[in-house]
Amino acid sequence: MPTAGVEFAKVSYTPAGGQFILRDISISLAAGSTTALLGRSGSGKTTLLRTVNGLVRPTSGGVTVNGQSVSAIRSAADLVALRRGIGYVIQETGLFPHMSIERNAGLGLELAGRSSEDRRARAREVIEQVGLDFEGLHERLPWQLSGGQRQRVGFARALALDPAVLLMDEPFGALDPLTRGEMQTMLKGLLERMGKTVLLVTHDLDEALFLADRVVILSKGGVVADLLSGDVARSQNPHVKDYVSAVHRMVGR
C-alpha cells in the first residue's frame, strides 16, 4: 500500500482576531496520487493547500510531507529545504517579467547554487517536457508569450528541482477553454509519467475528474465529501449532488 505523501491530521486554522478558516481536517494523500480540492470560494481550499509548504501555519493539528512534520520546522534553512521539495503553480504563473524564459524556469536551481551548465540543461529539459520549443523561446521575456505558454513555463519552473509534491492553485483559471483543455491534456500526461503527489485546487468539476484520482469537497472550512473520482457521478452525498447539478445544469437542454 502506498505511504502517505502528504497527511493532514486534525488541521484547524483561525487567523488572529478572526473566524476559523479550517476546522479539524484529516486527510491522507497517498504518494504518487492526484487529489482535487473543490468547494465554494472561501471554503478554505487555498488555505489548506498553503499549509503544505508552510505559507500557512495551522492553529492546531499538523501536516506532514513525506514523513516530515511541517509544523515542527523552525529554522529558515529547514523551511527552504522543505519548499525545494514542493513545486507550486498558481493561476497567474508568478513569472518574473524582467527575466528570460530560461532563467524563470531555472530560478529554483539558481537559488540552490547549481552551476550555469546544470541550470541550462535542466531548464531545457523541463521547458521541452511541458511542450515548448526551448531554442525558439528560451531568450524571450514572459510578456512575449501567450497565456498558455506562460503557464507552461510556470509548470516547468515548478518541476525544475524534481519535487516529490506538486501544489496547484487554480492553475488554468485565467485561460480560455480551448487552451485550458490543451493544458489539462499536457498535465495529465506529465503526471502519469512522473508520479508526483499532487494537490490541485480547482472550481472545475470536469477538470478535477479528468486529472485527479480523488475528489475532496470543502465547505465552511471542513471536509464534506471525500471520494474516488469514478464515484462522483453516482454519489448520494448531498454536497456532491449539488456540485454535479450546478456544474452540469445545462446538460440535456
Side-chain angles (χ1 to χ4, degrees):
M1 182 176 180
T3 57
V6 177
E7 186 164 3
F8 303 93
K10 297 185 178 299
V11 170
S12 295
Y13 176 67
T14 303
Q19 297 183 332
F20 74 88
I21 296 177
L22 301 175
R23 178 184 291 175
D24 199 29
I25 293 179
S26 294
I27 311 171
S28 183
L29 312 184
S33 67
T34 298
T35 302
L37 284 178
L38 290 92
R40 293 177 182 269
S41 297
S43 61
K45 304 184 298 300
T46 293
T47 301
L48 184 64
L49 185 89
R50 290 177 176 173
T51 64
V52 178
N53 58 6
L55 289 175
V56 172
R57 297 279 186 161
T59 307
S60 62
V63 181
T64 58
V65 178
N66 295 324
Q68 179 183 16
S69 171
V70 179
S71 303
I73 293 175
R74 291 292 179 264
S75 74
D78 288 342
L79 189 59
V80 168
L82 170 79
R83 290 174 179 167
R84 284 179 179 162
I86 301 173
Y88 191 26
V89 184
I90 60 177
Q91 183 178 124
E92 298 299 333
T93 73
L95 300 180
F96 290 94
H98 63 288
M99 292 184 183
S100 69
I101 297 311
E102 178 183 339
R103 190 177 179 198
N104 264 291
L107 186 59
L109 301 166
E110 183 178 336
L111 295 174
R114 299 274 285 272
S115 70
S116 59
E117 293 81 5
D118 285 349
R119 296 199 305 268
R120 185 175 181 83
R122 182 58 176 161
R124 175 188 289 273
E125 183 178 10
V126 292
I127 286 172
E128 291 178 347
Q129 280 179 337
V130 299
L132 294 176
D133 173 27
F134 179 82
E135 289 300 333
L137 299 175
H138 73 102
E139 294 182 339
R140 294 189 185 182
L141 297 174
W143 66 267
Q144 295 174 303
L145 303 186
S146 69
Q149 289 173 323
R150 287 194 298 272
Q151 197 63 45
R152 287 175 189 264
V153 177
F155 275 108
R157 183 177 60 187
L159 295 170
L161 285 168
D162 194 23
V165 176
L166 187 59
L167 306 177
M168 298 187 290
D169 192 357
E170 286 284 344
F172 310 130
L175 302 178
D176 66 83
L178 291 179
T179 303
R180 185 171 185 145
E182 293 168 356
M183 292 290 293
Q184 290 166 350
T185 299
M186 177 275 295
L187 180 60
K188 186 174 180 67
L190 274 179
L191 297 182
E192 289 173 348
R193 294 194 301 273
M194 294 182 172
K196 307 293 184 187
T197 305
V198 180
L199 190 57
L200 166 69
V201 168
T202 179
H203 287 99
D204 187 331
L205 178 61
D206 287 337
E207 180 172 275
L209 298 180
F210 181 67
L211 293 173
D213 311 301
R214 176 180 175 192
V215 172
V216 175
I217 299 178
L218 302 185
S219 178
K220 298 179 180 179
V223 175
V224 294
D226 181 355
L227 65 168
L228 296 175
S229 298
D231 294 335
V232 167
R234 58 179 176 271
S235 174
Q236 295 305 302
N237 181 307
H239 297 278
V240 177
K241 291 176 71 175
D242 285 348
Y243 216 107
V244 172
S245 177
V247 171
H248 294 158
R249 64 188 180 278
M250 297 300 294
V251 174
R253 288 194 178 186

